[in-house]
Amino acid sequence: MPPACSTSKGETTSRGSKPSNRTSVRTGHEGGDSRHLYEDPDLLPNIFAAPYAVLEPDLAFVVEDGGRAVGYILGTADTASFVARYRAEWLPGLTDRYPAPVQPHSPSTPAEMMTGLMHDPERMVLPELDAYPAHLHIDLLPSHQRYGYGRALMETFLDALHARGVPAVHLSMLTSNTAARAFYDRVGFQEIAVPDPGPVTYLGRSTAATPPR
């Protein structure tokens, strides 16, 4: 039985569980439903969820409701090492299904843009992020937001990183997703200055204890 930590409604955050593709898709557009943007429901999970669950299973935590995954947090303790493994171990299994875009810097659809990101894992390695070697992704279905599950996931993930001696973690988020930014501010993240970040903002924090509620 994997270790778990109770949440405020008695649900659990379980280590090593498989994140739900449904959660990725239902939160994939500025925190909301992305099904209208991507014909292939596996596209987003194959970029932002599944590779972490496969390559870093000990840093994958899932909130379940009646046995159904309703949220997750996952990531890596070492971004540079993860990128190298993603390139060598994960990406080769996707190239037939998702060929690299012919013009990755001029995508004509959201799906082309995401496929371009899939084929460019090196985009995750930036010198401005060197002091924050870990990174994470967190998603929670709207129906389960504002009940403390997001904070419980974050605390569990930070504790796991801290136990490994990882000093700090970063994430990137769409700048337009103001609800997500408010959450990250509440749990202690601060903006990291990155030149020409495009539509995203980079945030980071120490892996020490999260601020009080």
Side-chain angles (χ1 to χ4, degrees):
M1 185 73 180
C5 62
S6 297
T7 64
S8 59
K9 293 177 68 175
E11 302 175 8
T12 60
T13 308
S14 301
R15 182 194 299 266
S17 299
K18 183 180 178 181
S20 167
N21 284 6
R22 173 175 174 267
T23 306
S24 296
V25 173
R26 295 290 181 91
T27 60
H29 178 55
E30 299 184 3
D33 202 328
S34 66
R35 286 177 294 176
H36 63 293
L37 296 175
Y38 306 106
E39 182 177 346
D40 185 342
D42 294 329
L43 176 59
L44 293 186
N46 273 323
I47 303 170
F48 300 114
Y52 296 91
V54 171
L55 300 177
E56 297 259 16
D58 287 343
L59 289 175
F61 302 91
V62 175
V63 170
E64 296 181 347
D65 183 358
R68 177 176 65 103
V70 296
Y72 61 80
I73 190 169
L74 33 70
T76 178
D78 186 326
T79 298
S81 294
F82 175 82
V83 166
R85 292 191 65 197
Y86 178 103
R87 170 69 66 187
E89 301 174 36
W90 181 255
L91 188 57
L94 299 176
T95 52
D96 287 344
R97 182 173 178 181
Y98 305 104
V102 176
Q103 296 181 312
H105 301 296
S106 302
S108 59
T109 67
E112 282 190 11
M113 181 179 70
M114 289 299 166
T115 304
L117 296 181
M118 174 188 286
H119 284 268
D120 184 25
E122 290 77 17
R123 65 190 157 76
M124 293 186 272
V125 180
L126 298 172
E128 294 81 9
L129 304 176
D130 285 348
Y132 306 84
H135 76 260
L136 66 86
H137 297 282
I138 181 171
D139 286 302
L140 194 65
L141 289 179
S143 59
H144 287 70
Q145 293 175 10
R146 296 183 171 84
Y147 289 102
Y149 305 130
R151 179 178 284 269
L153 284 167
M154 188 65 73
E155 290 176 349
T156 301
F157 188 82
L158 293 172
D159 286 347
L161 290 179
H162 194 63
R164 292 183 177 204
V166 180
V169 61
H170 73 270
L171 60 88
S172 65
M173 55 159 289
L174 283 175
T175 304
S176 58
N177 191 348
T178 55
R181 178 59 189 270
F183 167 73
Y184 295 132
D185 288 346
R186 288 195 298 272
V187 294
F189 282 83
Q190 297 182 334
E191 189 165 340
I192 304 170
V194 172
D196 303 318
V200 303
T201 297
Y202 291 90
L203 304 175
R205 58 151 294 164
S206 162
T207 60
T210 53
R213 289 173 174 80

